Amino acid sequence: MTIDLEAINAERDRIRADYLQEPGARPASSAQGLHHFALICSDVRATIDFYQGLLEFPLTEIFENRDYAGSNHFFFDIGNGNLLAFFDLPGLDLGPYAEVLGGLHHLAISVSQEKWDHLRGKLDAAGVEYLVESEKSIYFRDPDGARLELLADPLGEMYGTQVL
């Protein structure tokens, strides 16, 4: 399969021209922020050990999932008033995580450069495999295989480009 990069770049330019407004001309968002992003996990304790113990995202609450009796719904503080949530769904043999079209590619979480360096050391100590890009992004997988990125850029910025 051949990819026509010239055509792809031309279409990106058309999309930018058709939809992207300059910062001063953009309307305010109707949203207040990300309340929580929900993922599924196979083991509640392993998930808490990973996210709270390794990544230092404090567990803020755990209660029964209102949609599935016996399932837990639990939350981690990922800063700036945002939460990362999980469900375990016991008895529903869901199989391993898989990247699919329309599914999660990765979840990028902003951290300071100092915290990025610290957490990279913890990933090393724990034997977690990862990939570093541009000394700002570190990609790795959680215990269920979901891909995460720790990005050492401020919110609204990516590799020196303002995205917000």
Side-chain angles (χ1 to χ4, degrees):
M1 179 169 119
T2 303
I3 297 175
D4 185 347
L5 291 178
E6 188 174 314
I8 290 171
N9 290 333
E11 177 61 7
R12 183 180 307 112
D13 289 341
R14 284 190 296 275
I15 291 169
R16 287 177 66 84
D18 290 346
Y19 296 103
L20 188 62
Q21 298 175 24
E22 292 299 320
R26 286 182 206 145
S29 175
S30 63
Q32 297 182 73
L34 179 67
H35 186 281
H36 69 274
F37 190 92
L39 297 169
I40 295 172
C41 73
S42 62
D43 183 316
V44 173
R45 289 182 180 275
T47 300
I48 293 171
D49 287 343
F50 185 82
Y51 284 92
Q52 179 170 261
L54 184 64
L55 297 181
E56 303 177 5
F57 302 160
L59 180 70
T60 63
E61 186 57 273
I62 182 170
F63 49 80
E64 186 174 43
N65 175 3
R66 70 170 188 248
D67 300 322
Y68 187 83
S71 171
N72 293 293
H73 193 189
F74 53 107
F75 301 83
F76 297 96
D77 179 356
I78 58 170
N80 205 42
N82 299 289
L83 297 164
L84 181 57
F86 286 86
F87 296 104
D88 67 334
L89 299 168
L92 286 185
D93 191 24
L94 298 176
Y97 170 83
E99 287 182 17
V100 296
L101 286 176
L104 174 71
H105 182 268
H106 73 278
L107 182 62
I109 299 170
S110 176
V111 296
S112 69
Q113 184 67 54
E114 179 182 354
K115 186 58 73 172
W116 189 92
D117 293 334
H118 168 74
L119 293 173
R120 181 178 181 180
K122 289 186 76 173
L123 292 170
D124 283 333
V128 174
E129 292 183 23
Y130 59 80
L131 172 67
V132 173
E133 290 289 336
S134 305
E135 291 302 315
K136 290 283 186 180
S137 292
I138 188 167
Y139 294 90
F140 54 97
R141 295 190 182 272
D142 81 356
D144 287 298
R147 189 188 337 235
L148 304 170
E149 175 188 9
L150 296 179
L151 179 60
D153 271 336
L155 291 171
E157 186 177 312
M158 188 163 183
Y159 307 135
T161 298
Q162 289 300 126
V163 295
L164 179 63

